[in-house]
Amino acid sequence: MHLELPRLSASRAAFLASLAISALSACGGDPKPPPIPDPPVVTLTITEANAAPKVKIRLLVSGCDPVAQTEIYDREVFLKTVPYTSGSMDFELAANELKYTSGLAATLALHAKVTCSDGRSNVSQPQAATFLPVTKVVKDPDPNGQVVTDFFVAEGNGTGVNFIGCGNPTTGVGTLFRVDANGALQQSVAMGVPCNASTVYTDLHPTTNKRWVWTPGARAVAVHQNFTISGTSKPTIFLSSLSMMNNGDALIADDDNIVYRLPHDSGIGAPKWTFASQWPLVAPPLQKGSDVLVAFMKQPEVTTSKVLQIVVARLDANGTGDLVPVSERAILNYNGDFGSPPLASFSPDGTVLYLAFPLGNNQSSIQACRVDVTGCEGSGLKWNSPALPVPLQFV
């Protein structure tokens, strides 16, 4: 005889199932996962924001015992691993361990990535620094003193190097200083030229042993290697540019578009000659053989549009008095206005005039034009640059 077992109702089955689950839970059958530990805390400090000849960093890690790996990065670029163990530890980055992507000085944003032995990791906040890859650092023993002026040039090399810079001492008179490689003052001379970030020092002339020191908007002086002054521009001439001639004289231009030949040995004397341009100058004058090249903007005599010309005039470098051009050549016709002259500069040999023009969206371009050909096209055009992603400040 076949007997059927009684069937449980759905509600009774669900009730028994819940009892079974409760019993399993009470016996520890489904434990909760352990809490996840916090990531380690990583602190990187750069002890000197302007670093040389090495970058010194300090690391401190907490919440990570032990540390499996410590990596140093400049932004997203890996630099090196360091052997961190515990506590506050100091490390160094050498010149050959850094990347140089924007010139001689490396602008750094360093951070550390630490990985614990259990796999947890974290990174520090980035720290900024500027590094100069020098071989030696000379510091003034006075914490508030400085060895050289803020802006300077090097003269010589190796152990015989000196540093020359223009500074404004307590007297308020612009003064040229020379210090040796150990920071000891060798010579100084008051120039009467204000010193700032725009002050220019030309190279030492090989025959006269003089250099020109000048500040835009102010004056220029000729300084001998022995720190004596032999030539000075008049205080009524406010310079906009200066270039040195083959014999050591200076070609200077002022804000009134006047060009002067200033002798290097005339004291505060009159210039040897003067050229007064009725048009805005666009480039520093330059000697080329027996000529001096002068570039300026000019309005054509007959025109029905806003077309302007860039003209290169040749002056007699050995003339006297008030000069007039020996010749003029229109290098380029372009649409522009006198309120926005292009930036321009001659090549060192005087064969090319480089012209920079603004483009839309803060871009720029440079055009290289021969100075011995009329019109910057065909054989007269040396090259055009691609669009540069920034507005230019000088050429």
Side-chain angles (χ1 to χ4, degrees):
M1 180 177 182
H2 179 71
L3 297 175
E4 291 187 1
L5 295 175
R7 295 182 177 180
L8 295 175
S9 65
S11 60
R12 180 174 176 76
F15 173 73
L16 292 175
S18 66
L19 286 177
I21 293 173
S22 298
L24 287 172
S25 299
C27 294
D30 186 19
K32 294 181 180 180
I36 299 175
D38 292 332
V41 177
V42 185
T43 302
L44 180 147
T45 305
I46 300 176
T47 57
E48 294 182 353
N50 295 308
K54 295 182 178 181
V55 182
K56 297 180 180 180
I57 59 176
R58 180 167 296 162
L59 274 179
L60 178 63
V61 181
S62 60
C64 185
D65 188 19
V67 172
Q69 182 172 262
T70 303
E71 302 168 306
I72 307 298
Y73 288 81
D74 177 18
R75 298 172 177 86
E76 302 303 320
V77 178
F78 170 76
L79 298 180
K80 65 183 295 188
T81 59
V82 293
Y84 180 89
T85 54
S86 63
S88 178
M89 298 186 67
D90 293 334
F91 303 97
E92 292 181 341
L93 294 174
N96 61 354
E97 294 175 322
L98 300 172
K99 311 298 181 182
Y100 304 89
T101 59
S102 58
L104 177 65
T107 303
L108 307 174
L110 300 179
H111 70 267
K113 179 181 179 181
V114 170
T115 303
C116 305
S117 58
D118 58 7
R120 290 176 298 124
S121 66
N122 204 355
V123 297
S124 66
Q125 292 296 315
Q127 299 295 313
T130 300
F131 175 75
L132 286 170
V134 300
T135 58
K136 180 181 179 181
V137 175
V138 179
K139 292 186 177 181
D140 194 298
D142 180 358
N144 299 317
Q146 58 186 92
V147 177
V148 295
T149 57
D150 290 342
F151 303 95
F152 59 90
V153 295
E155 180 183 62
N157 57 71
T159 57
V161 68
N162 290 319
F163 301 99
I164 295 174
C166 180
N168 300 301
T170 55
T171 60
V173 179
T175 301
L176 196 67
F177 298 92
R178 173 187 279 139
V179 299
D180 63 17
N182 296 316
L185 178 64
Q186 302 295 304
Q187 291 168 300
S188 65
V189 59
M191 299 183 299
V193 174
C195 303
N196 57 42
S198 300
T199 300
V200 180
Y201 316 85
T202 70
D203 291 335
L204 199 67
H205 191 274
T207 303
T208 67
N209 289 323
K210 299 175 186 178
R211 72 176 79 244
W212 287 91
V213 181
W214 66 284
T215 298
R219 304 175 65 187
V221 297
V223 184
H224 193 274
Q225 191 176 21
N226 63 12
F227 266 50
T228 58
I229 294 176
S230 62
T232 306
S233 65
K234 291 184 176 181
T236 54
I237 300 176
F238 302 100
L239 275 66
S240 60
S241 69
L242 181 148
S243 64
M244 189 185 294
M245 300 184 69
N246 296 340
N247 73 336
D249 288 351
L251 292 172
I252 62 175
D254 67 8
D255 294 338
D256 294 323
N257 301 308
I258 302 176
V259 179
Y260 307 84
R261 175 176 172 174
L262 184 61
H264 62 84
D265 54 1
S266 64
I268 311 180
K272 186 172 182 179
W273 54 253
T274 301
F275 168 68
S277 173
Q278 61 176 313
W279 307 104
L281 301 175
V282 296
L286 179 76
Q287 182 181 6
K288 179 176 170 57
S290 60
D291 295 329
V292 168
L293 304 181
V294 179
F296 48 84
M297 310 169 60
K298 184 177 181 179
Q299 180 77 47
E301 295 180 2
V302 179
T303 182
T304 58
S305 65
K306 293 184 178 180
V307 173
L308 296 177
Q309 292 180 334
I310 299 297
V311 175
V312 172
R314 294 177 180 267
L315 309 176
D316 180 4
N318 298 310
T320 57
D322 297 326
L323 299 187
V324 295
V326 175
S327 66
E328 292 185 9
R329 186 186 300 275
I331 299 300
L332 178 70
N333 293 326
Y334 77 105
N335 292 320
D337 61 78
F338 288 112
S340 302
L343 299 171
S345 178
F346 289 105
S347 62
D349 62 1
T351 61
V352 177
L353 180 66
Y354 303 108
L355 295 160
F357 295 97
L359 303 176
N361 297 320
N362 288 324
Q363 300 182 88
S364 308
S365 67
I366 299 176
Q367 197 167 351
C369 305
R370 288 173 54 181
V371 301
D372 61 343
V373 177
T374 300
C376 190
E377 55 189 12
S379 63
L381 175 62
K382 298 287 288 184
W383 49 261
N384 274 320
S385 77
L388 305 174
V390 293
L392 298 180
Q393 300 300 314
F394 61 90
V395 178

